[in-house]
């Protein structure tokens, strides 16, 4: 089952903030976030571990609520380089050893 | 040099043809994956392999097969290509620890 991401898309001006949410119907031990720029492969951004530990990238941070099986990605003071599609996925393989991703959130940052 | 290399980068084929997409890696990872990406659907897992003798189906394996020729090589075959297999295909590896994925550059496949 695919994690559910919201919103599907967001348009920001440089300097604005945004939040991307990811929720799972299955127990999550950890959460990964990836970013894919147009025409490129997805690139790992960060991992969120059980217990709420956050590991940030640039001015992008995230939180993980394992009880609610939810994670949120925070784009703070967005830059043009933040444009791309963001995917969440279970950081650790579930009992079937699969790494399934959300459908993605497209972020466009304009000047 | 890229750590995860996919060939070809682009491929156009006809319905019914058998084709193979290849992936090789120099990261020394045991785990390798094949994903396809379609607009609006994100990344969907086709097959994954935890080592040379361990190959497993993902969520959308019908119409596909794989071969793990060595730790470094993992190939995806379309036995009889059909138009709805037109997609962007990614190979990925992980180290099995934090499961961080490293992706190849992708293969854009078009089935006419």
């Amino acid at each position: 089952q695919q994690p559910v991401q919201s919103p599907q898309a967001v348009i920001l001006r440089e300097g604005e903030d945004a939040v991307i949410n990811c929720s799972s119907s299955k127990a999550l031990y950890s959460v990964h976030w990836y970013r894919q720029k147009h025409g490129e492969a997805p690139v790992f951004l960060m991992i969120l571990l059980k217990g709420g530990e956050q590991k940030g990238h640039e001015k992008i941070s995230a939180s993980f609520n394992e009880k609610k099986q939810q994670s949120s990605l925070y784009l703070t003071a967005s830059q043009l380089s933040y444009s791309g599609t963001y995917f969440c996925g279970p950081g650790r393989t579930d009992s079937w050893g699969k790494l399934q991703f959300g459908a993605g959130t497209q972020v466009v940052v304009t000047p | 040099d890229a750590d995860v290399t996919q060939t070809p980068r682009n491929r156009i084929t006809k319905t019914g043809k058998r084709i193979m997409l290849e992936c090789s890696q120099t990261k020394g990872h045991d785990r390798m994956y094949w994903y396809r990406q379609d607009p609006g659907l994100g990344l969907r897992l086709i097959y994954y392999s935890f080592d040379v003798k361990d190959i497993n189906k993902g969520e959308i394996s019908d119409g596909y097969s794989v071969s793990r020729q060595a730790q470094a090589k993992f190939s995806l075959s379309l036995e009889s290509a059909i138009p709805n297999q037109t997609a962007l295909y990614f190979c990925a590896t992980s180290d099995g620890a934090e499961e961080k994925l490293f992706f190849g550059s992708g293969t854009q496949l078009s089935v006419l």
Side-chain angles (χ1 to χ4, degrees), chain A residues 1-5 22-29 31 64-71 88-90 94 96 100-102:
Chain A
Q1 289 174 336
Q2 211 177 20
V4 176
Q5 285 185 236
C22 173
S23 63
S24 174
S25 59
K26 298 171 71 173
L28 296 175
Y29 298 97
V31 175
F64 175 35
N65 185 327
E66 60 262 30
K67 287 185 180 179
K68 292 185 177 180
Q69 296 166 187
Q70 293 177 344
S71 178
C88 69
D94 60 23
W96 294 281
Q100 299 186 33
F101 291 88

Side-chain angles (χ1 to χ4, degrees), chain A residues 1-2 8 30 32 34 36 39-44 47 49 55 87 90-93 96-104, chain B residues 9 31 33 35 37 40-45 48 50 56-59 88 90 94 97-106:
Chain A
Q1 289 174 336
Q2 211 177 20
Q8 288 185 316
S30 59
H32 281 179
Y34 290 79
Q36 183 180 27
E40 299 180 7
V43 174
F44 175 82
I47 181 172
L49 302 174
K55 296 185 179 181
F87 297 96
R92 204 191 83 177
T93 49
W96 294 281
K98 301 172 187 175
L99 288 172
Q100 299 186 33
F101 291 88
Chain B
R9 290 296 308 274
R31 301 186 175 197
Y33 306 80
Y35 288 89
Q37 186 173 37
L41 295 178
L43 293 156
R44 292 185 292 165
L45 183 62
Y48 63 102
F50 283 0
N56 303 279
K57 294 181 178 181
E59 56 184 314
L88 181 57
F90 285 105
S94 76
E98 289 185 335
E99 298 282 17
K100 175 180 173 181
L101 289 174
F102 296 87
F103 287 86
S105 299

Side-chain angles (χ1 to χ4, degrees), chain B residues 27-43:
Chain B
K27 300 193 74 66
H29 291 165
D30 287 326
R31 301 186 175 197
M32 298 187 73
Y33 306 80
W34 276 104
Y35 288 89
R36 69 174 275 176
Q37 186 173 37
D38 300 274
L41 295 178
L43 293 156

Side-chain angles (χ1 to χ4, degrees), chain A residues 2 8 10-11 17 21 23 28 32 34 41 43 46 50 57 61 68 73 78 81 83 87 91 95:
Chain A
Q2 211 177 20
Q8 288 185 316
V10 59
I11 300 175
D17 301 339
N21 298 304
S23 63
L28 296 175
H32 281 179
Y34 290 79
V43 174
M46 67 182 71
K50 203 170 184 179
H57 177 88
S61 61
K68 292 185 177 180
L73 189 73
S78 58
S81 62
S83 292
F87 297 96
S95 58

Side-chain angles (χ1 to χ4, degrees), chain B:
Chain B
D1 290 338
D3 294 320
V4 184
T5 302
Q6 291 184 235
T7 55
R9 290 296 308 274
N10 292 280
R11 179 75 183 268
I12 299 174
T13 191
K14 294 183 178 180
T15 298
K17 294 289 188 181
R18 183 180 190 276
I19 65 166
M20 179 182 290
L21 309 183
E22 299 188 353
C23 177
S24 62
Q25 53 115 346
T26 58
K27 300 193 74 66
H29 291 165
D30 287 326
R31 301 186 175 197
M32 298 187 73
Y33 306 80
W34 276 104
Y35 288 89
R36 69 174 275 176
Q37 186 173 37
D38 300 274
L41 295 178
L43 293 156
R44 292 185 292 165
L45 183 62
I46 306 172
Y47 271 95
Y48 63 102
S49 170
F50 283 0
D51 66 41
V52 175
K53 296 182 180 179
D54 181 15
I55 294 177
N56 303 279
K57 294 181 178 181
E59 56 184 314
I60 54 164
S61 59
D62 287 349
Y64 301 94
S65 63
V66 290
S67 173
R68 184 82 184 266
Q69 299 95 326
Q71 186 208 35
K73 295 183 182 296
F74 193 35
S75 301
L76 177 72
S77 294
L78 284 67
E79 300 302 324
S80 179
I82 56 177
N84 76 1
Q85 291 178 313
T86 292
L88 181 57
Y89 290 84
F90 285 105
C91 173
T93 72
S94 76
D95 62 6
E98 289 185 335
E99 298 282 17
K100 175 180 173 181
L101 289 174
F102 296 87
F103 287 86
S105 299
T107 294
Q108 179 62 56
L109 175 66
S110 297
V111 183
L112 305 179

